[in-house]
Amino acid sequence: MKKAVNLIVAVSAVVMLSAPAYADETVRCKGGIVSVGDSAGEVLAKCGQPATTTQSSKKVVQKDQQSSPTRSITNIIVDNWIFNFGPNEFQYQLELQDGRVSRIQSLDYGY
């Protein structure tokens, strides 16, 4: 009996610790659900214009081939869009890399 309780506690802890990693993979907008991998055009069609936008570039190191030690450095464009759905809804920050959603994060309530 004690082993069963310990197992339940351990499984519950793993689930609780891993939940935040999967919590923000989508955001619901008036026009539909936006997910990681959606294009910028799909986001705009579903959610409208973001409340704020910022843009930066990020250097990414990539291997040229699996067997070769050669690496290349590529600059990618990173857009951060914040959507504000009002004081009764959470705001969401979407990170887009090269025009595709790469990360979705919920923020505090809107204004």
Side-chain angles (χ1 to χ4, degrees), residues 24-75:
D24 296 335
E25 292 183 353
T26 62
V27 60
R28 183 181 303 271
C29 296
K30 289 182 180 179
I33 295 175
V34 172
S35 302
V36 171
D38 286 356
S39 70
E42 290 172 305
V43 173
L44 292 173
K46 293 175 184 177
C47 300
Q49 291 293 320
T52 62
T53 63
T54 58
Q55 190 175 71
S56 61
S57 64
K58 178 178 171 182
K59 291 182 180 181
V60 178
V61 178
Q62 297 176 332
K63 279 186 170 183
D64 289 335
Q65 297 175 354
Q66 288 182 345
S67 60
S68 172
T70 306
R71 297 174 188 237
S72 64
I73 298 174
T74 306
N75 280 325

Side-chain angles (χ1 to χ4, degrees), residues 6-20:
N6 288 341
L7 179 62
I8 291 171
V9 170
V11 169
S12 297
V14 168
V15 169
M16 289 173 53
L17 292 173
S18 65

